[in-house]
Amino acid sequence: MTKLSDVSLDSGFIQAQTLQNNTVWQVSFERIASKNALNLAMYQDLANVLAGFVAQPEARALVVTGSEGCFTSGNDLADFASAGADGALSSESPLWQFMLALRDCPKPVVMAVEGVAVGIGSTMLLHADAVFAAPSASFAMPFAKLGLCPEYASSFILPRLAGYLQAAQWLMLGETFSAEEALHGRLINAVVQEPLAAALEHASKLAAMPPQALINTKQLLKASDKQAIDTCMTQEAQVFAKALSGKEFAAAIAAFFTRK
Ligand code: COA
C-alpha cells in the first residue's frame, strides 16, 4: 500500500501532506523565488504524488495549490530552453508524465489559485474537477507570445469551455486575465477570498462520498472527450517541439532572461 511517506519528493520544491484521516491529500508548489515555476524535478515529484494518491485506497480527493500567494508561473523557461525540441514534451519526460497522471487521475482533483497562474498553471486547471480562485488571481496562456503553441489539450478544451472567440483571444494574445474573466470563461467554479479553504472544504465533501461512485462519475464525465484530448495532446506536442527549436522561441527566451 502506498502511503504519502513512500512517495519520493526529490526536487525540494514540492510539499505534500495528508489531511482528514488520509482521505484528502494536499500538494503545493513551493519555489517562490521563481514564482513557483515548475522544473523537471518538480514535475517528477508531482507525477509521484499523483501515482501515490491513486494507489492509496483511503485517499479520496487531491488538492493542488501554490504557496505564498502564488500558484505557478508555469513551466520553468530555462528548462524549456535547455530541454530542447526532443526533451520537453517527449513521452519519457517528467512534464509529459505529470500531464498524463493528472489528465488520467481517476479520483477527484481540486485546485486553489492565488496570484499568478501562467502557462501550464492555467492549462492544468482544465484537467481539474473543481477550481477556486482568489479575487486577485491572474491567469495567462502566453504560448504564442513565446513563439510556442497551446499545450495540454487547451486548444481542444478551451474553445468548448469558453467559446471559440474567447479561447482564441486568450491563446493568441496571451494577455493576463482576471479571476472574474476566468469565471466568465468557465475555467473556475468560484471566486472566493480563501481559495485553499474552499478547495479543502470541497475536497472534504468529495471525501465523504461513496468513492467508487465518484470514480465512475468522473470516468463517465470524461469519456466522450477522452480520445479527442489524447489526439490533441499528441498534435500539440509535435508542433510545440518544433517551435521550441525555432527562432521565435529563442528570441522570446532571450528577451525574458535579459529584461530589466
Ligand atoms: N521560469 C523560470 N523563471 C521564472 C519564471 C519561469 N516561468 N517565471 C518567473 N521566473 C523567475 C524570474 O526570472 C525572476 O527571477 P530573478 O529574480 O532571478 O530575476 C523571478 O522568477 C521573479 O519573477 P519576476 O518576473 O520578477 O516576477 P513578477 O511578479 O514581476 O512577474 C510573472 C511574475 C509570472 C508574470 C513573470 O515572471 C513571467 O511572466 N514569467 C514567465 C511566465 C511564463 O512565460 N511561463 C511559461 C509559460 S509556457
Side-chain angles (χ1 to χ4, degrees):
M1 188 186 296
T2 304
K3 300 190 297 294
L4 178 57
S5 53
D6 297 331
V7 172
S8 42
L9 295 175
D10 299 327
S11 71
F13 298 126
I14 296 294
Q15 297 290 328
Q17 58 179 315
T18 59
L19 305 159
Q20 303 179 21
N21 292 327
N22 299 325
T23 59
V24 175
W25 286 34
Q26 181 181 322
V27 64
S28 52
F29 318 130
E30 309 256 357
R31 193 189 178 203
I32 196 61
S34 298
K35 299 279 170 183
N36 296 337
L38 299 168
N39 63 24
L40 294 176
M42 293 165 78
Y43 285 124
Q44 187 60 60
D45 285 354
L46 291 167
N48 294 345
V49 171
L50 277 152
F53 166 68
V54 173
Q56 167 56 258
E58 286 174 3
R60 303 286 173 84
L62 175 68
V63 172
V64 179
T65 190
S67 59
E68 304 206 29
C70 178
F71 191 59
T72 167
S73 59
N75 204 95
D76 186 307
L77 286 171
D79 258 17
F80 257 169
S82 58
D86 298 329
L89 285 177
S90 70
S91 56
E92 300 82 37
S93 84
L95 166 54
W96 192 255
Q97 295 305 318
F98 160 70
M99 292 201 296
L100 294 191
L102 174 61
R103 183 196 73 180
D104 297 338
C105 180
K107 301 179 187 178
V109 178
V110 184
M111 300 199 179
V113 182
E114 281 189 87
V116 294
V118 186
I120 196 168
S122 282
T123 59
M124 76 169 75
L125 307 178
L126 304 173
H127 300 273
D129 303 293
V131 184
F132 299 91
S136 58
S138 66
F139 305 79
M141 291 171 268
F143 306 111
K145 266 187 183 174
L146 289 166
L148 298 172
C149 71
E151 40 76 303
Y152 218 173
S154 54
S155 57
F156 175 80
I157 301 172
L158 209 51
R160 280 155 187 80
L161 268 186
Y164 178 83
L165 294 178
Q166 182 63 87
Q169 185 179 333
W170 283 340
L171 287 171
M172 287 182 175
L173 294 180
E175 291 172 343
T176 298
F177 55 96
S178 69
E180 280 302 332
E181 289 169 289
L183 182 65
H184 188 68
R186 301 194 286 181
L187 247 65
I188 61 176
N189 292 62
V191 182
V192 292
Q193 289 299 334
E194 301 288 345
L196 180 55
L200 288 169
E201 189 186 334
H202 194 88
S204 94
K205 283 187 202 167
L206 290 166
M209 297 289 292
Q212 188 58 46
L214 283 192
I215 290 171
N216 293 345
T217 300
K218 180 163 178 171
Q219 190 184 5
L220 289 163
L221 277 165
K222 300 270 182 187
S224 56
D225 285 345
K226 194 173 178 350
Q227 185 58 51
I229 286 174
D230 195 51
T231 304
C232 179
M233 280 179 64
T234 304
Q235 285 168 346
E236 288 174 344
Q238 284 165 359
V239 182
F240 202 96
K242 203 166 167 206
L244 271 180
S245 54
K247 281 190 221 150
E248 293 179 351
F249 176 65
I253 279 287
F256 180 73
F257 284 112
T258 54
R259 76 201 187 289
K260 290 283 171 216

